[in-house]
Amino acid sequence: MSATDLAPRPRTRTGHCLCGSISYRFDAEPAAVVVCHCGHCQRHTGSAFSVNVLVPRDSLRVEGTPKAVRTTGAENGSPRDRQFCGDCGTPVFTVLHEAPELMIVKAGTLDDHTGIEPTAEVWLRRAQDWVEPSAHRPLFEGDAQ
């Protein structure tokens, strides 16, 4: 038995949209879990912010075909492909064109949220007035730099 045989394996995570037309799995540890307060994430989720699980793109397997809308960051100018279920409308993924090796999975679509805790918050200058940022994680007024 080698040391690699004893190394812990990443946990496989699964998830799906509300109606189940889009499902996915990934077997890598998230690179980060980021709360985003930008205006586009607020509109995309219909909520005050989005909880984004960044995973290596090559670890993600998707069943079904999400629809996509391309947006451009109002302040950073970076394109994003916001992917959602065409049947039920659930936001499922976001593709950051400046980080093509990563895929954002919307945390609310995970089957099991155990161990998913935000590691940073971004775009605080766009946060709704009633939102209290967490004092125990890094906070950024715009994009994380």
Side-chain angles (χ1 to χ4, degrees), residues 11-124:
R11 173 180 172 176
T12 297
R13 292 195 182 261
T14 59
H16 62 277
C17 65
L18 188 60
C19 73
S21 293
I22 306 294
S23 62
Y24 62 85
R25 69 184 312 111
F26 61 90
D27 60 358
E29 290 302 314
V33 179
V34 178
V35 175
C36 184
H37 299 276
C38 81
H40 285 172
C41 278
Q42 289 183 42
R43 288 195 189 281
H44 189 230
T45 62
S47 185
F49 49 81
S50 178
V51 180
N52 301 307
V53 181
L54 285 71
V55 300
R57 190 179 207 138
D58 62 1
S59 73
L60 184 67
R61 302 293 173 254
V62 179
E63 290 188 30
T65 305
K67 288 192 172 189
V69 172
R70 171 136 326 147
T71 61
T72 302
E75 293 185 46
N76 63 16
S78 297
R80 274 102 174 83
D81 293 332
R82 299 185 181 274
Q83 299 182 359
F84 59 96
C85 176
D87 294 328
C88 68
T90 302
V92 185
F93 309 112
T94 299
V95 177
L96 303 173
H97 285 248
E98 69 271 26
E101 72 284 2
L102 296 173
M103 186 73 126
I104 291 176
V105 174
K106 300 300 181 181
T109 65
L110 288 165
D111 292 329
D112 180 2
H113 305 100
T114 305
I116 297 294
E117 182 173 337
T119 55
E121 292 188 44
V122 298
W123 289 103
L124 282 170

